[in-house]
Amino acid sequence: VQLQASGGGLVQPGGSLRLSCEVSGFTLNNYAIAWFRQAPGKEREGVSCTSDGSIDYAEDVKGRFTMSRDNAKNTVYLRMDSLKPEDTAVYYCATHGGRYCTLVSAFYRTWGQGTLVTVSS
């Protein structure tokens, strides 16, 4: 099982980015996938999770971030709009091999390598 995150970069406040997470070694539509982020000096925190058609978001990204999945491409996406400097972090996708959604990182066993998002003017 492998996850490959991409799409990070430098963006100005108020801008947008779309992250991708390509998965291999399992069928995406059978499992929950989540996005996490870790800012410098802070703990890793959950951003969003999708499973069985439902999507959960952390409170501070609701209305700004949109998670989606393309099962045919075995890829999940995180569209990030209205970005703020406090969104600066390394973003990771992860799976725990089950079908339930949770934003608690301790449950996740398999992680992608992370992609850096920097929001700065």
Side-chain angles (χ1 to χ4, degrees):
V1 175
Q2 288 188 323
L3 296 89
Q4 181 77 30
S6 62
L10 174 64
V11 62
Q12 292 187 342
S16 299
L17 277 177
R18 188 181 79 160
L19 307 183
S20 300
C21 175
E22 184 174 357
V23 304
S24 59
F26 67 98
T27 302
L28 178 61
N29 60 353
N30 290 338
Y31 301 101
I33 297 287
W35 285 99
F36 290 83
R37 66 185 180 185
Q38 188 165 19
K42 295 187 177 181
E43 293 187 357
R44 192 169 297 187
E45 62 178 2
V47 175
S48 65
C49 177
T50 181
S51 177
D52 289 338
S54 67
I55 303 176
D56 295 331
Y57 295 96
E59 283 298 321
D60 58 349
V61 305
K62 281 183 179 178
R64 300 189 298 121
F65 290 12
T66 304
M67 186 175 185
S68 61
R69 61 197 297 164
D70 185 334
N71 291 332
K73 294 183 178 180
N74 243 26
T75 301
V76 295
Y77 303 97
L78 184 67
R79 169 76 180 190
M80 305 184 294
D81 297 312
S82 303
L83 282 162
K84 305 174 182 179
E86 50 264 43
D87 294 317
T88 295
V90 178
Y91 284 71
Y92 301 88
C93 51
T95 183
H96 54 61
R99 301 181 72 95
Y100 60 92
C101 255
T102 175
L103 295 181
V104 177
S105 61
F107 288 100
Y108 287 80
R109 301 179 298 171
T110 304
W111 296 81
Q113 85 288 359
T115 185
L116 176 63
V117 173
T118 303
V119 185
S120 175
S121 55

